[in-house]
Structure formats: C-alpha cells, structure tokens
Amino acid sequence: MRVVYFQVIIFIIFALPLSQGSELPGSLGVSLADARTETKDTSKVENKEPAVETLSYQGAISKALLNNISIKNLRYGLRSSEISYQNAWDTMFMPSISLSANLTSNFTVGQISEPLGIPVLTTSFPTAPKTEHGYGSSSLTLSLGSYTLFNFWKDTDSFELASTEWIRQKQVFNEQVRTIRNSVTTAFFTYRAILEKLEAARKSIEFSETILELLKSRAKLGTDANVSEIDSSSVDLLNSKNNLNTLDTSAKTQLYQLNEILNDPIGTEYNITEQLNYVPMNITLAEAMKFYFTQSPEILDSKKNIKGAEINLKLTHKNLLPLPRVMFSPINLVMGDTYLSGTSSHSAQSGSGNFDITTSVSVTIPITGPGGLFNRRSLELSEISRDQADLSYVTTVMSGRSAIKSSFNQLKQLEEQIKNNREAAQRSGNVLDAAINQLMTGKVNRLELRDALSQSRDSLNNLEDSYVNHLQNKLSLAQKLGLDHLPGDPY
C-alpha cells in the first residue's frame, strides 16, 4: 500500500493540473511544466550525504553484546561476585596458610659499664671496650591459622548463603543481558518505523508543493483558481513541513538512543531495510503463569531473599545454644639460624625443637550484649526479616499476576487494533484508487484528493505504530516471565 501511495504522488506530479470541482481543460496541460520552471530547480544540486552503515537486526544485537558499555560493566560485577563466592569457599574448606621470612643484622655500639650502670659510647674511659660487629640472624615461619573441624554446620550455612547469592548473580547477569537485547530490538524497529514515516512526509511535501505551484500557475493564466485555494494549499504545505520537522526530531532522538546502545559515536547513521515481522502472541495465560513462577526475575529474587532469611534465622538459633566447636589451634613452624662463634640453632615457636599441634573444643554461651539478654533481640530481628521476606513474596505474586493479565489484555487489544488498522489501510487505499480514477477521467476535487492521500498515509503510519507497540508489549511480557522471547516469536 505504501508503494502505491508513492506511485500516486509521482503520477500526480506529472499529471494534468487540478481544479476544485471542475473539469480539467486540456489547454492547461502545460501549466504544470510552467509551474515547475518558475520554481527553483534544486534537483541539480548534489547533496553529499555522509556514509551510512548498513545494519541488520542480528548485526545490531551482536554489536550491542560486544560493545555495549553496560554489558562490560555487568561482566565486571559478575566477576566480583564470583570472587566473593570463591573467598567463601576457601573460608569453608581451606585453612589459611602464610609464610614469612626475617633477617636481622646486629651492630654493637657499646657495653654496659659495671660501676656506673650506663652505656659507654666513647673511648675516654680506660675501661671502655671497643665497638664490635655482631652476627646476623634469620628466621623462616610457616603459619597455619586456626581451622574449625566442626561447629554444628554453622560454616555450612554461611557457605550455602554465599552459594545462593552467587547462583542468583549469574542469573541476574543473563537477565540484564536480555534487557539490553530487548532495548536493541525496540530501538532498532522504532527507528525503522520513523524512517518510513519520514519518507512518507517528504513525499507529502513534494505533493503539496506541486499542488500549490500548479494553482499559482493557473491563477496567472486566468483560470478559475482563486486566492482561497492558494491559501488553503499553502496551509497544507506548512502543515506538511511541520509534520516533517516533528518526525525528523523524533528520528534523531531515536537514532541517538540506538547509537548509545550500540556504543557508536552519537550521530552515526544506519541504513536499515529489514522489516518488522509481525507475529501474534502464541502463549496461553496458564503457560505464562507457569513460566512466571519458575523463571521470573522478581520471583527468583523473592525466593532468594526467603532462603537467605531462613538461613540467617537458623544461624541465630544456633548462636543462642551452647554448641561445642572443634578446631585446630594455630600452628607456627619457625626455623632460625643465629651465627655466634660459628654456632647455629633451629627452633619451633616455643623456642625448642618441638613441633606442637593442639586441638581444642570450645563452648560459648551469650548472656548479654548488643542483642539483648541471651541475644533475644537478635533472634526477633531474624524472625522479622524472615516474615518480611514471606510477605514480600506474596506481594510480588499478586502484583505479577495482575501485570501479566494486564499485558495479555493489552496484547489482545493491540492485535485487534492491528487487524483494524490493516483494514483501514486497505480501505483508504481503495479511496485513493477512486480519486486516481476520477483524476484520469478528467474531473477531480482537490480537497478530496488531498484528504484521500492524507488518510492513506495516516492509516499506514498507524499500522506501523501498532506493530511497534505490539512488539514492545511482547518483549515486556517475555521479560516479566523470564524468557528471552515468547514461544514461536522471532524477537
């Protein structure tokens, strides 16, 4: 239909002059050529447009996943979470081991004088000794920190908490990548729709300019064209220019958004020829709810919060009990060399040659402190956190069900709207065809032809908008359900 619209405009440009409700005199067939001669001929001016990049939909997706700054930042965040998880794993299963070395050099500057009990730093006293150089000493220490063998699974609970957080962080990374991919999809096809509107707006200006110059030419030739017709056509031209300016601003704004998502220099233009493939929603409400409760990001967050609150409550209960803790005491193995008159020695931490390992069992009973008597306030806070997590899950489920049902209703309404817009585009095309036939028979109403062209253009623009709105709503629903795309949908 859009192609027919463009062809009609080209046909009218080279057609016979128009009148408002009157027959077309054949003697005025040259007036259109005269009108074009009187206007400035800008067709010979070569507008050197900047080179544009040909961009496909899949190319835009690949480019965003490779260059998007937000995705690069997400990778850093994911790596930080992985490091935190690895630290928790080491705390759970590995002892802390360190190795330290020490080297000392001695230099004697004086000795204690027996009569006076003070250091003698000069040789003015006959009994003062000479300065002497001592011998260096070195040591190498291997330290094994305290290591818990068993504490009634407190460490296991803490590790499970860290593991849950790490698993959720990996899911969040994939969800955020999906969000960026959906942003690319929306920006790509929205920009494509605006480009089509711009092309139609330019054709409308060409048509309005042709009609206006035609009427001016007929007025000069003394035909029935009057001032009112010329003024009306001038208003049509001005409205067409305003429409073009509005669309041009929207196109630039949308282009900049696409530039930002793809991490291209702002203002980089794209040649987009790929059309949006309209696919109706192909999922039932029951299937959507099933996906929602198993894969939805907000449900996964709520479940993670509940599990974390339950683990913290479990740990708080264990901290209230006098549970024994079996552990190894710190182990330090020290090897040292001290050279004095050609002798050396090796010793452990105790100063002897013994290598000692100590195992201890400790029990701690909290009586009072910041958590109240026997940590009762800490226990109450943990219980409140658990109850809040449960209530948050219930609220999330209620809100999610409402949002999904609303999305279904919106998509159904949009699909009905697309059906109506398709029919409107078809019928407006029929009206335009009738106006063309009237033009070819030698009698046409200028206002009716203008309205037919405007109606056809607006119907096609409304159809494009409904396609894009339908796509956006499908992507939002898929995001809500935790899906990359709805079943059977290419986007």
Side-chain angles (χ1 to χ4, degrees):
M1 181 61 67
R2 186 174 297 280
V3 175
V4 173
Y5 169 65
F6 292 158
Q7 291 175 345
V8 170
I9 293 176
I10 295 174
F11 173 76
I12 294 174
I13 291 176
F14 294 98
L16 295 176
L18 307 180
S19 65
Q20 184 171 348
S22 62
E23 293 186 0
L24 297 174
S27 60
L28 298 180
V30 295
S31 61
L32 182 59
D34 295 337
R36 286 200 299 265
T37 304
E38 294 175 3
T39 59
K40 292 183 179 180
D41 187 3
T42 58
S43 60
K44 296 181 180 179
V45 180
E46 294 183 0
N47 296 324
K48 295 183 179 180
E49 298 181 355
V52 296
E53 175 184 350
T54 300
L55 186 66
S56 66
Y57 169 65
Q58 290 299 332
I61 294 294
S62 300
K63 195 172 187 178
L65 296 180
L66 181 64
N67 300 327
N68 185 269
I69 295 178
S70 297
I71 290 184
K72 292 181 179 179
N73 191 39
L74 290 175
R75 292 192 179 100
Y76 287 127
L78 183 63
R79 178 54 183 161
S80 298
S81 299
E82 183 181 10
I83 291 174
S84 299
Y85 167 76
Q86 291 173 342
N87 290 339
W89 191 93
D90 289 342
T91 302
M92 174 67 188
F93 297 103
M94 298 295 295
S96 59
I97 302 175
S98 63
L99 181 67
S100 59
N102 183 47
L103 177 63
T104 304
S105 178
N106 300 321
F107 184 77
T108 303
V109 296
Q111 293 181 343
I112 300 298
S113 175
E114 293 182 1
L116 300 177
I118 58 175
V120 179
L121 303 178
T122 65
T123 58
S124 58
F125 296 95
T127 58
K130 296 180 179 180
T131 59
E132 296 181 357
H133 290 280
Y135 294 93
S137 62
S138 62
S139 63
L140 185 66
T141 304
L142 181 65
S143 300
L144 178 66
S146 59
Y147 184 70
T148 300
L149 295 178
F150 181 71
N151 64 348
F152 280 84
W153 300 282
K154 291 182 182 180
D155 289 342
T156 302
D157 293 336
S158 299
F159 175 72
E160 184 182 2
L161 189 62
S163 178
T164 301
E165 186 68 29
W166 164 235
I167 292 173
R168 182 67 191 120
Q169 285 300 318
K170 289 190 289 185
Q171 295 171 340
V172 168
F173 174 80
N174 294 328
E175 292 163 2
Q176 292 173 328
V177 170
R178 180 192 303 140
T179 300
I180 294 174
R181 185 170 58 248
N182 290 345
S183 298
V184 174
T185 302
T186 301
F188 181 89
F189 287 109
T190 301
Y191 182 59
R192 171 67 178 136
I194 294 179
L195 290 180
E196 291 190 352
K197 293 180 182 180
L198 275 174
E199 185 63 23
R202 295 188 184 100
K203 295 297 182 181
S204 295
I205 290 179
E206 292 178 7
F207 171 74
S208 298
E209 289 176 341
T210 301
I211 296 298
L212 178 59
E213 295 302 325
L214 188 61
L215 292 174
K216 289 180 180 179
S217 177
R218 294 186 59 201
K220 290 180 180 179
L221 294 175
T223 61
D224 57 350
N226 53 45
V227 177
S228 297
E229 285 185 311
I230 294 176
D231 289 342
S232 178
S233 297
S234 298
V235 171
D236 292 341
L237 177 59
L238 293 174
N239 290 334
S240 297
K241 289 182 177 180
N242 288 336
N243 181 50
L244 178 64
N245 291 335
T246 301
L247 288 174
D248 186 63
T249 301
S250 299
K252 289 179 180 178
T253 301
Q254 193 62 46
L255 175 64
Y256 299 159
Q257 292 179 4
L258 187 57
N259 292 153
E260 182 180 356
I261 296 174
L262 301 182
N263 196 24
D264 282 336
I266 301 300
T268 301
E269 296 186 0
Y270 308 106
N271 179 25
I272 298 177
T273 59
E274 190 169 347
Q275 295 285 347
L276 173 60
N277 183 18
Y278 167 68
V279 177
M281 180 178 58
N282 187 26
I283 185 175
T284 64
L285 183 59
E287 292 172 338
M289 288 300 179
K290 182 178 180 181
F291 283 122
Y292 176 72
F293 282 105
T294 56
Q295 297 180 224
S296 173
E298 56 190 35
I299 291 295
L300 294 178
D301 280 335
S302 296
K303 290 181 177 179
K304 184 207 72 172
N305 293 336
I306 291 175
K307 185 173 182 180
E310 290 176 345
I311 292 175
N312 285 326
L313 180 60
K314 189 192 303 184
L315 287 171
T316 304
H317 275 294
K318 290 180 179 180
N319 291 332
L320 293 176
L321 302 175
L323 301 176
R325 177 184 182 186
V326 181
M327 59 178 295
F328 277 120
S329 296
I331 302 172
N332 294 327
L333 177 61
V334 182
M335 301 182 62
D337 292 324
T338 303
Y339 296 92
L340 181 62
S341 301
T343 64
S344 64
S345 63
H346 303 274
S347 64
Q349 185 180 20
S350 60
S352 66
N354 299 327
F355 178 57
D356 300 326
I357 298 178
T358 304
T359 303
S360 62
V361 177
S362 60
V363 176
T364 302
I365 301 176
I367 298 178
T368 186
L373 183 64
F374 298 112
N375 273 349
R376 289 299 176 184
R377 288 199 298 268
S378 297
L379 177 61
E380 184 179 1
L381 286 175
S382 296
E383 291 174 344
I384 290 175
S385 297
R386 194 271 315 278
D387 293 340
Q388 285 179 326
D390 291 337
L391 291 176
S392 178
Y393 177 80
V394 173
T395 303
T396 299
V397 169
M398 294 177 60
S399 175
R401 283 175 171 169
S402 175
I404 291 173
K405 290 183 178 180
S406 297
S407 295
F408 263 73
N409 293 334
Q410 182 70 17
L411 282 168
K412 293 296 183 182
Q413 183 267 329
L414 284 171
E415 289 175 1
E416 185 66 24
Q417 181 178 331
I418 289 174
K419 179 182 176 181
N420 294 337
N421 287 340
R422 281 178 167 177
E423 183 178 354
Q426 179 64 38
R427 291 185 179 275
S428 64
N430 295 337
V431 173
L432 188 57
D433 291 340
I436 294 173
N437 292 332
Q438 188 179 13
L439 173 65
M440 296 178 65
T441 58
K443 189 175 181 179
V444 67
N445 185 298
R446 180 186 64 83
L447 296 179
E448 290 180 357
L449 180 58
R450 181 201 63 182
D451 292 342
L453 288 168
S454 176
Q455 188 179 61
S456 178
R457 179 196 61 204
D458 292 342
S459 297
L460 291 172
N461 288 343
N462 291 337
L463 183 59
E464 291 290 342
D465 289 339
S466 58
Y467 282 151
V468 174
N469 290 336
H470 185 262
L471 173 65
Q472 291 175 341
N473 278 269
K474 285 194 300 183
L475 294 176
S476 297
L477 179 59
Q479 185 94 4
K480 188 79 172 179
L481 302 181
L483 301 175
D484 290 338
H485 51 75
L486 295 180
D489 197 276
Y491 308 114

